[in-house]
Amino acid sequence: MKTYKMLQTENIYIFLIILPVVSFLYSSVGHGGASGYLALMALFSFAPETMKPTALLLNLFVAGISFYYYYKGGFFNKKLFLSFALTSIPFSLLGGRFDIDASLYKKILAFLLVFAIFKMLNVFGRESDSIKQVKIWQGLVIGGIIGFFSGLIGIGGGIILTPLILLFHWGNMKEAAAVSALFIWVNSASALIGQFSVGVTLEKESFLLVAIALVGGVLGGYYGSKKINNQSLRYILAFVLVIACFKLIFT
C-alpha cells in the first residue's frame, strides 16, 4: 500500500494546534470527533486514503475517554445503548469494508457534517421532562443504518444518534452523551476491523495525532460530564465545519 506522509502536509502545525480544540469540544458532548477530524483533514488537503482510518483511530481514544467520564458520572443507559448497538456493530464492520469513489465520499461526508454543525449550534439541544422508551424495531433499524454509514465514511455515528435521542425524547442530554460515546467507540472499532480486513493500514504518524487529540479529549470529557457549556467555542467549530462542507462539495 502506498505510504502518505501526513506530517508533511502544508501548514501541518496549524492543524496540530486546532486538533485538540476539536477533540475537546466533541468530547465535552460525548462524541469522539471523527466528523471534526475529517473536516480538518479535508481543509488541510490530507490524502483521502488516510482520512478514514485515522479518524476512526482517533475516535477510539477520544470517545473512550469521554465515555469513561460520563459513565463515572452515572449517566449511562445500558438498555438504550443496546437498542442501537446490536445492529450498528455488524453493519459498521460491513461499511468499513467498502471503498467508495473519493468524490462521492466527500459529498456524503459534507451531508453528515450538517448534523455536527446543528449539534454544535444546539439545534437539537433541548431536553424534555417526558422520556419515552425506544421501541425495539426503531433501535434495530436506526442502529443498522447509522452503523453502515459510520463504517462507510469513517465516523462513529454519534453526530446522528445524539440528535435522534433528543428529538424523540429517548433520553436527556447527559444520557444521550454517554450512550453516544460508547456507540461511537464500538462502531469505530468495528469499522476499523472492516478496514483492516481489506488491507488498509495505519500510518505511524496517526498515533502522534492520537496523543495530541487525547489532551483535548481528556479535558473535554471531564468538564463536559460536569457543567461546561462554552457556546462561543462551539460557534467557532461550527464555522470551521461549514467551511469544510463547502470545500468538500465544491472541490
Side-chain angles (χ1 to χ4, degrees):
M1 181 177 178
K2 184 178 179 180
T3 300
Y4 298 89
K5 298 297 182 182
M6 289 187 291
L7 298 187
Q8 293 179 6
T9 302
E10 188 176 358
N11 297 318
I12 186 62
Y13 295 109
I14 298 176
F15 173 89
L16 296 178
I17 291 172
I18 299 175
L19 180 62
V21 176
V22 172
S23 65
F24 173 88
L25 291 172
Y26 273 84
S27 180
S28 71
V29 293
H31 290 182
S35 57
Y37 309 141
L38 288 170
L40 274 182
M41 286 187 272
L43 284 173
F44 285 83
S45 302
F46 275 58
E49 293 82 357
T50 70
M51 291 171 60
K52 181 174 173 179
T54 301
L56 289 170
L57 179 68
L58 290 169
N59 249 6
L60 281 179
F61 288 89
V62 177
I65 289 293
S66 182
F67 173 69
Y68 167 77
Y69 284 114
Y70 276 96
Y71 179 83
K72 190 177 179 181
F75 302 113
F76 181 60
N77 185 329
K78 182 179 179 180
K79 184 177 180 181
L80 184 60
F81 165 74
L82 290 175
S83 298
F84 304 107
L86 288 176
T87 49
S88 76
I89 294 173
F91 276 92
S92 182
L93 189 150
L94 179 63
R97 290 179 56 84
F98 281 87
D99 185 21
I100 61 175
D101 176 74
S103 178
L104 178 60
Y105 176 86
K106 290 180 179 180
K107 301 300 184 294
I108 297 176
L109 175 58
F111 173 75
L112 293 178
L113 283 179
V114 173
F115 286 89
I117 293 168
F118 285 162
K119 183 68 185 74
M120 287 300 162
L121 295 177
N122 277 339
V123 173
F124 304 113
R126 296 173 183 172
E127 296 182 89
S128 172
D129 294 330
S130 177
I131 302 300
K132 304 175 183 178
Q133 292 292 322
V134 59
K135 296 178 181 179
I136 295 177
W137 70 267
Q138 291 174 320
L140 295 178
V141 171
I142 291 172
I145 293 173
I146 296 177
F148 178 76
F149 280 100
S150 296
L152 185 68
I153 302 301
I155 61 175
I159 58 169
I160 304 173
L161 182 62
T162 299
L164 289 177
I165 291 175
L166 296 175
L167 280 173
F168 292 105
H169 310 307
W170 291 327
N172 59 40
M173 287 190 68
K174 296 292 186 181
E175 287 177 333
V179 167
S180 293
L182 187 57
F183 183 80
I184 290 166
W185 194 94
V186 297
N187 286 340
S188 298
S190 183
L192 262 182
I193 292 172
Q195 287 269 280
F196 294 153
S197 70
V198 293
V200 173
T201 58
L202 286 165
E203 293 190 42
K204 294 179 181 179
E205 295 160 319
S206 300
F207 293 93
L208 174 60
L209 300 187
V210 166
I212 295 172
L214 272 179
V215 175
V218 170
L219 292 174
Y222 175 78
Y223 287 108
S225 64
K226 304 297 182 181
K227 59 182 180 180
I228 192 170
N229 183 26
N230 196 326
Q231 194 58 48
S232 297
L233 288 176
R234 294 185 186 183
Y235 285 143
I236 294 172
L237 179 56
F239 178 69
V240 171
L241 294 178
V242 168
I243 295 174
C245 276
F246 278 98
K247 180 171 183 179
L248 287 166
I249 292 171
F250 296 109
T251 59

